[in-house]
Amino acid sequence: MPKEMLPVVDKPAIQYVVEEAVAAGLTDVLMITGRNKNALENHFDRMTELEATLEMKGDTQRLKQVEFSNDLADMHYVRQGDPRGLGHAVLRSKMHVGREPFAVLLGDDLIDSRDVLLSRMIEEQNSRNASVIALMEVDPSSTHLYGIATVENTGTPDVVKITGLVEKPAPGTSPSNYAIIGRYVLQPDVFDVLEHTAPGKGNEIQLTDALQTMATDNIAGGVYGVVFRGRRYDTGDRVDYIKAIVQLAVERDDLGPELRPWLKQFSADLD
Ligand code: G1P
């Protein structure tokens, strides 16, 4: 199954991402999918048979949950075709987006809904009229897994100006430990830059490379970073995926009270 459909507690990972967009006021969602990703479209579509069965059984609670994922946002889909990198995937949204700022949310990265990120980025995009990316300080041993930024202070504590970007630097060569996490609020000018961006790391068209051009050539206001210090889960990593499920489940009112004491006992027994 597509990794975006893996359940995190009791919802597919992708639903958290769509809910995050909606919570920040973004209800027009274009999903860039690929081969074997039909399950994603089906998840956000009506499930008439299931709805009818639940209605017949009088299971209004579950019926509400099913309807919730259908009515969440105005969903659109486009297939990427050849998987030629994140920059290429973003370029596929050009027609849909038009000439307005837009947000990019990567399906692997989950941001805990109790921590604010996307709405803060939209605010900064609006007031600075520039592109904004999300950054997180990571352990120097994992900088080779991310796009890495060189930054300058702006005077606003959680906002930095981006002076350079490099996609997945080789271990020991990273210019900083400010890693790009999968949230971007971009000026539409990025499409023009992407069209002229040559394949980079992994022979793929990299969004990081296009943003590096926008930062150094100061295109459409340049690029700023919002530094996130909240909870982020990388569901593409197996250990992180398990941690996400446990962390989210213990906080839930319906599951936490039973799970917390069990977990304490379980971890005590590990010793
Ligand atoms: C992508 C981006 C990278 C970014 C990362 C965040 O890489 O290319 O710059 O740091 O997402 O998750 P991927 O993880 O898709 O290889």
Side-chain angles (χ1 to χ4, degrees), residues 204-225:
E204 293 186 334
I205 298 172
Q206 297 293 349
L207 181 59
T208 304
D209 293 346
L211 293 170
Q212 150 73 3
T213 305
M214 293 183 79
T216 52
D217 296 356
N218 206 30
I219 296 170
V223 184
Y224 289 82

Side-chain angles (χ1 to χ4, degrees), residues 30-33 78-94 97 102 104 106 191 194 204-207:
L30 174 73
M31 210 171 273
I32 319 288
T33 70
V78 61
R79 286 188 179 228
Q80 190 183 358
D82 291 332
R84 288 167 52 208
L86 177 59
H88 174 248
V90 170
L91 200 46
R92 299 285 290 129
S93 70
K94 183 182 170 181
V97 169
F102 65 105
V104 177
L106 305 189
F191 294 125
L194 277 169
E204 293 186 334
I205 298 172
Q206 297 293 349
L207 181 59

Side-chain angles (χ1 to χ4, degrees), residues 8-9 18 20-21 49 56 63 72 79 81 84 148 159 161 176 178 185 188 190 195 198 247 254-255 258 262:
V8 178
V9 187
V18 175
E20 181 192 338
E49 258 178 51
M56 224 164 60
L63 182 61
L72 203 52
R79 286 188 179 228
R84 288 167 52 208
I148 300 290
V159 182
K161 172 124 177 89
S176 82
Y178 281 105
V185 183
V190 72
E195 273 166 353
Q247 268 182 271
D254 54 344
L255 305 171
E258 199 179 328
W262 176 84

Side-chain angles (χ1 to χ4, degrees), residues 200-243:
K201 194 105 199 173
N203 205 26
E204 293 186 334
I205 298 172
Q206 297 293 349
L207 181 59
T208 304
D209 293 346
L211 293 170
Q212 150 73 3
T213 305
M214 293 183 79
T216 52
D217 296 356
N218 206 30
I219 296 170
V223 184
Y224 289 82
V226 165
V227 182
F228 181 62
R229 297 199 169 86
R231 290 157 283 193
R232 164 193 177 251
Y233 313 102
D234 175 3
T235 57
D237 178 89
R238 284 171 297 173
V239 172
D240 235 38
Y241 168 71
I242 295 164
K243 285 184 191 166

Side-chain angles (χ1 to χ4, degrees), residues 138-167:
V138 297
D139 192 273
S141 64
S142 53
T143 46
H144 64 288
L145 301 171
Y146 298 94
I148 300 290
T150 323
V151 303
E152 270 173 11
N153 290 336
T154 58
T156 309
D158 62 334
V159 182
V160 289
K161 172 124 177 89
I162 308 289
T163 56
L165 287 168
V166 53
E167 179 67 7

